[in-house]
Amino acid sequence: MTPDCATAVARVRAAVGATPVELAIVLGTGLGCVAGDEPGDVTIPFAELPGFPQSDVSGHAGQLVLSRRGGKLVAWLQGRAHYYERGDARAMSGALDALAQLGVTQLVVTSASGSTRPDLAPGSLVLISDHINFSGMNPLIGATGDSRFVPMTQAYDAGLAAQLKTAARRADVTLGEGVYMWFSGPSFETPAEVRMAARLGADLVGMSTVPEVILARRLGLRVAGLSLVTNFAAGLAGGDPDHAGTKRVATAGAGAMKRLLDGFLLHSNEDP
Ligand code: HPA
């Protein structure tokens, strides 16, 4: 464990005691409020957690909320760091390492994304079934040892996906399913890039998620991805995304994401 990681783990332990944190949820742009504000929740600013992302992107609060849900201790990350902020695909590795040390075995990554599919309109919630790393970057470049050769055949865990689908049915939330393509950002895509993405099999385009999933798989975590479609991708059905619109639609759709995740957490110890 690096000294930064040890400090972050100790800070969380001082707040919640020795109970393992079992599950972590990364909240994407405009989705921070999904963590809610339950009695007994403990909030720690990322600034007090070395290695956690000091993101400067608006729509990301930058704090860790620890909450007891469905009999488990859950860590909500209100905010993430993106590759495009510093050109660092490992931007989330410090946080993920600390979470794994704290006991986390399951990770749910959420995001806002653009849709390349006419039937996934803005406001749609989508379970990520697989991804395409189109950025040319990989957070494991420079890592050593055989553990860098991470299998990605089942990057998104089938059991967690089944639980999320069940939770969506129970909560009466429509949950689509699709492939997420990672573009580095921070500029949005051109219409030609979006046409290419759709032809290559992408249903969603976005600027996050993929590096975290790769890092989490190296740590052996079971991973699920949920994305909230905030816009049609550039050029599709009049799509002309901008950050303000992304934040607005994400905030509006956060209620459905919250119902889905609350239900998922409540029943997460059961079979789907
Ligand atoms: N492209 C990339 N990232 C995004 C988009 C998009 O259209 N919408 C929200 N995040």
Side-chain angles (χ1 to χ4, degrees):
M1 217 191 316
T2 63
D4 272 1
C5 185
T7 306
V9 168
R11 175 69 183 85
V12 174
R13 285 271 162 261
V16 298
T19 321
V21 183
E22 288 181 53
L23 192 143
I25 303 178
V26 181
L27 295 171
T29 301
L31 295 171
C33 57
V34 171
D37 196 7
E38 311 279 323
D41 284 2
V42 174
T43 300
I44 307 174
F46 286 166
E48 295 176 22
L49 297 168
F52 277 63
Q54 312 296 313
S55 173
D56 59 3
V57 183
S58 61
H60 292 262
Q63 54 189 20
L64 186 71
V65 179
L66 294 141
S67 183
R68 200 163 287 281
R69 299 283 186 97
K72 298 185 169 182
L73 191 54
V74 178
W76 304 82
L77 282 76
Q78 287 178 318
R80 59 150 57 87
H82 306 80
Y83 168 70
Y84 60 72
E85 291 172 59
R86 291 179 187 78
D88 179 11
R90 295 174 44 77
M92 289 293 286
S93 71
L96 292 171
D97 287 349
L99 291 166
Q101 287 290 337
L102 285 161
V104 167
T105 56
Q106 300 175 25
L107 179 74
V108 180
V109 282
T110 71
S111 60
S113 60
S115 162
T116 72
R117 254 175 46 197
D119 63 312
L120 292 177
S124 302
L125 269 182
V126 183
L127 179 70
I128 298 179
S129 56
D130 204 348
H131 73 225
I132 300 172
N133 180 353
F134 188 70
S135 70
M137 289 300 142
N138 191 297
L140 299 180
I141 290 174
T144 55
D146 285 358
S147 70
R148 76 187 115 166
F149 301 112
V150 177
M152 294 295 286
T153 321
Q154 283 157 22
Y156 296 85
D157 187 83
L160 291 181
Q163 285 177 5
L164 283 162
K165 286 182 196 175
T166 303
R169 263 196 310 279
R170 281 186 174 136
D172 204 16
V173 168
T174 305
L175 185 61
E177 199 164 346
V179 172
Y180 178 104
M181 185 181 265
W182 178 33
F183 283 83
S184 77
S187 56
F188 285 95
E189 300 74 30
T190 64
E193 288 165 346
V194 169
R195 287 195 299 274
M196 175 208 67
R199 281 189 195 152
L200 292 182
D203 305 294
L204 306 173
V205 292
M207 305 180 195
S208 66
T209 299
V210 169
E212 289 149 44
V213 172
I214 295 171
L215 289 165
R217 291 302 298 144
R218 188 189 192 203
L219 291 166
L221 308 188
R222 295 169 62 199
V223 174
L226 290 171
S227 200
L228 177 65
V229 172
T230 53
N231 54 278
F232 282 120
L236 193 132
D240 183 14
D242 61 35
H243 190 57
T246 297
K247 280 193 295 186
R248 186 169 24 80
V249 180
T251 307
M257 181 76 89
K258 181 168 166 51
R259 274 191 287 137
L260 170 59
L261 285 172
D262 283 348
F264 164 73
L265 292 173
L266 203 59
H267 297 283
S268 61
N269 291 325
E270 302 167 10
D271 288 334

